[in-house]
Amino acid sequence: MTKPPMPDLADFSPFRDLPPEGRRLLERGATSRHVPSTTPLLHKGQKASGAYFVLEGHLRVYALAPNGTEATLYTIAPGETCVFALNSLFNDLLYPAWVQAVEPTTLAVLPAATYRQLFAEQPLIRDFTVRTLSSLVFHLMGQLEEVHAYTLRQRLANLLLTHAASSGELRMTQQQMGFHLGTTREVVARLLGEWVDAGLIHTRRGATRLLDPAALSRLLDGSAPSAD
Amino acid sequence: MTKPPMPDLADFSPFRDLPPEGRRLLERGATSRHVPSTTPLLHKGQKASGAYFVLEGHLRVYALAPNGTEATLYTIAPGETCVFALNSLFNDLLYPAWVQAVEPTTLAVLPAATYRQLFAEQPLIRDFTVRTLSSLVFHLMGQLEEVHAYTLRQRLANLLLTHAASSGELRMTQQQMGFHLGTTREVVARLLGEWVDAGLIHTRRGATRLLDPAALSRLLDGSAPSAD
DNA sequence: GCGCCTCTGTAGCAAATGTTACGTAGTCGG
DNA sequence: CCGACTACGTAACATTTGCTACAGAGGCGC
């Protein structure tokens, strides 16, 4: 198969709309990098060397517990940036989590100096930066609240409801769901099992189909957890 | 008692170092507001109307679970800003948590328009904003990781170690520790009780004294939890 | 001192979650 | 069809955490 057209950083907002001198900076500084699936990109404690932008694919940012269980903090889709980079760029803080490509991913990397210059000179980049950081704060606060406020059962129901494609099917193994929620496969299987018995969902290898989304939603508030 | 000198926003970094036209903006726009202790400042879902800066006192940002348990997300000390405001300023997102004064607190409030103008015109304010957001992202990621990766026992030990004053004493009721960690007083009492028996700490009304910080630190990694 | 309030210590039970251990079923390549 | 691999189902058990209930102890005002 022929290579699909190589995406370019300059095609993405906000870089697309930069004035000429901004684009010239990009062209001079940006490099591109391809990472195969499941490749770890960044370790906890490592220092990020520049601003990373996802052009194609997906990155996953996750925490890793001493006992080996993972928990997804957030994911980064094409057109978005790894805020860890921004963090390190402006703060000299070490990155507090791990990053991994979940599918073959193309990144653009801007050296810290270039990004800082863009930030100083280009209002578009400033707004983009603040908005990105700000959304992330919002997202993280939501996650943090979720962990404290909801049971695993509720969070799993929420995962199914929010991530199911329009077809009503979530294509994800139970192991992946476990990682996502910071728990183990067995626990996920147990909970899904309950719902299968109750006729709310149907499971098969690698996917879960929602049969009664309304009933799942109801699980989210009522604290009465199981069927009795 | 005579009023202590009223702190002023213009005395704090980065406002202190603004050029004259920046300070003029401040003087015209900033208002000051005093909040007594334990006053709720902001509800979840409310929209923040401006940028808040703490001049005196402390604010606490927390999540509130349906069952009533709280969990501190972060606190805001004098000289710091409520990033929620920044969030709402730039993103039109609703604030995802609650805010409360934990002691009598004086705030400065900058209208959104004023802050946006400062951000656009003053490099100092830009840097301050990004650095603030960025530290918060860092902090929240750390918290999120902590919740997933460590047991309550470890998180409590960590709380004692990191928050104890230089005297080796933490002035906080067990109820407050519970709120902080998102659990209940009884659970805190049980864990502290273990450590009292083991001679690691000494408790009295309203305070906990560390007797053997080294032993507490050791609890943080070894997954062997209790004494046996 | 007395009453009232808040903070602490403790015990026992219930629920949620993690762990261990195995068996089954789908998928793929030969 | 066979073997290997991966994903899933399930059961029993250990641990952790939350919840209820109550008793004692420190502090404070009267």
Side-chain angles (χ1 to χ4, degrees):
Chain A
M1 48 190 173
T2 54
K3 263 191 179 168
M6 175 62 131
D8 191 81
L9 182 59
D11 295 335
F12 285 90
S13 160
F15 304 100
R16 192 178 38 203
D17 307 314
L18 285 179
E21 77 267 25
R23 301 185 67 112
R24 240 173 287 128
L25 262 183
L26 273 195
E27 279 156 31
R28 226 174 314 138
T31 58
S32 167
R33 180 171 161 196
H34 197 80
V35 238
S37 188
T38 77
T39 305
L41 241 184
L42 206 67
H43 305 294
K44 173 169 183 173
Q46 195 175 339
K47 218 177 143 169
S49 53
Y52 288 55
F53 296 89
V54 174
L55 302 180
E56 272 183 325
H58 269 95
L59 296 182
R60 184 171 82 98
V61 179
Y62 59 101
L64 188 49
N67 64 14
T69 57
E70 305 184 354
T72 302
L73 302 180
Y74 64 103
T75 58
I76 307 172
E80 297 177 353
T81 178
C82 281
V83 198
F84 66 79
L86 301 182
N87 248 335
S88 301
L89 284 186
F90 290 98
N91 243 351
D92 277 333
L93 294 174
L94 299 180
Y95 197 58
W98 285 258
V99 183
Q100 175 193 57
V102 289
E103 42 180 324
T105 296
T106 311
L107 296 173
V109 186
L110 276 175
T114 306
Y115 194 83
R116 269 195 289 258
Q117 189 179 350
L118 278 171
F119 180 83
E121 297 175 357
Q122 300 295 338
L124 283 178
I125 300 297
R126 291 206 286 267
D127 286 358
F128 172 76
T129 306
V130 172
R131 230 191 327 266
T132 302
L133 282 172
S134 171
S135 317
L136 184 56
V137 167
F138 186 85
H139 176 79
L140 289 177
M141 288 185 60
Q143 290 275 109
L144 205 38
E145 186 186 335
E146 189 178 301
V147 175
H148 282 299
Y150 298 109
T151 67
L152 193 54
R153 174 179 273 101
Q154 291 173 310
R155 292 194 290 135
L156 179 59
N158 193 40
L159 174 69
L160 293 181
L161 288 168
T162 58
H163 283 61
S166 45
S167 64
E169 197 171 70
L170 177 64
R171 305 193 60 80
M172 214 183 193
T173 71
Q174 297 181 355
Q175 175 70 77
Q176 288 173 319
M177 295 187 212
F179 277 166
H180 200 79
L181 299 173
T183 184
T184 60
R185 186 191 65 76
E186 295 85 335
V187 176
V188 171
R190 176 163 52 207
L191 294 174
L192 290 183
E194 285 179 19
W195 297 338
V196 170
D197 293 347
L200 304 186
I201 61 175
H202 174 76
T203 63
R204 51 171 236 274
R205 189 187 177 87
T208 301
R209 167 175 296 280
L210 310 192
L211 300 179
D212 188 349
L216 280 178
S217 316
R218 248 172 280 131
L219 289 177
L220 294 185
D221 23 83
S223 44
S226 59
D228 58 5
Chain B
M1 48 189 173
T2 53
K3 264 191 179 170
M6 176 63 130
D8 190 80
L9 183 57
D11 295 335
F12 285 89
S13 159
F15 305 101
R16 192 178 38 201
D17 307 313
L18 286 179
E21 76 267 25
R23 301 185 67 112
R24 240 173 286 129
L25 262 182
L26 272 195
E27 279 154 30
R28 226 173 313 138
T31 58
S32 166
R33 181 170 160 197
H34 197 81
V35 236
S37 188
T38 76
T39 306
L41 242 185
L42 207 67
H43 304 293
K44 174 171 181 168
Q46 195 175 340
K47 217 177 144 169
S49 52
Y52 288 55
F53 295 89
V54 174
L55 301 180
E56 273 183 325
H58 268 95
L59 297 181
R60 184 171 81 98
V61 179
Y62 59 100
L64 188 49
N67 64 14
T69 57
E70 305 183 354
T72 302
L73 302 180
Y74 63 103
T75 59
I76 307 172
E80 297 177 353
T81 179
C82 281
V83 197
F84 66 79
L86 302 182
N87 247 334
S88 301
L89 284 186
F90 290 97
N91 241 350
D92 278 335
L93 295 174
L94 298 180
Y95 197 58
W98 284 259
V99 184
Q100 175 192 58
V102 288
E103 43 180 324
T105 296
T106 311
L107 296 174
V109 187
L110 276 176
T114 306
Y115 194 83
R116 268 194 289 257
Q117 189 179 350
L118 278 171
F119 180 82
E121 297 175 357
Q122 300 295 337
L124 283 177
I125 300 296
R126 291 205 286 267
D127 285 357
F128 172 77
T129 306
V130 172
R131 231 192 325 269
T132 302
L133 282 172
S134 171
S135 315
L136 183 57
V137 167
F138 186 85
H139 176 80
L140 289 176
M141 286 184 63
Q143 290 274 111
L144 205 38
E145 185 185 338
E146 190 178 299
V147 175
H148 282 299
Y150 298 109
T151 67
L152 194 52
R153 173 179 276 102
Q154 290 172 311
R155 292 194 290 135
L156 179 59
N158 192 41
L159 174 68
L160 292 181
L161 288 168
T162 57
H163 283 60
S166 46
S167 62
E169 197 171 68
L170 178 64
R171 305 192 63 80
M172 215 183 191
T173 71
Q174 298 182 355
Q175 175 69 79
Q176 288 172 320
M177 296 188 212
F179 277 166
H180 201 79
L181 299 173
T183 183
T184 60
R185 185 193 67 75
E186 296 86 333
V187 176
V188 171
R190 175 162 52 205
L191 293 174
L192 290 182
E194 284 178 21
W195 296 337
V196 169
D197 293 347
L200 302 187
I201 61 175
H202 174 77
T203 63
R204 51 170 237 274
R205 188 186 177 88
T208 301
R209 167 175 296 280
L210 309 192
L211 299 180
D212 187 350
L216 279 177
S217 316
R218 248 172 281 130
L219 289 176
L220 295 184
D221 24 83
S223 42
S226 60
D228 59 3

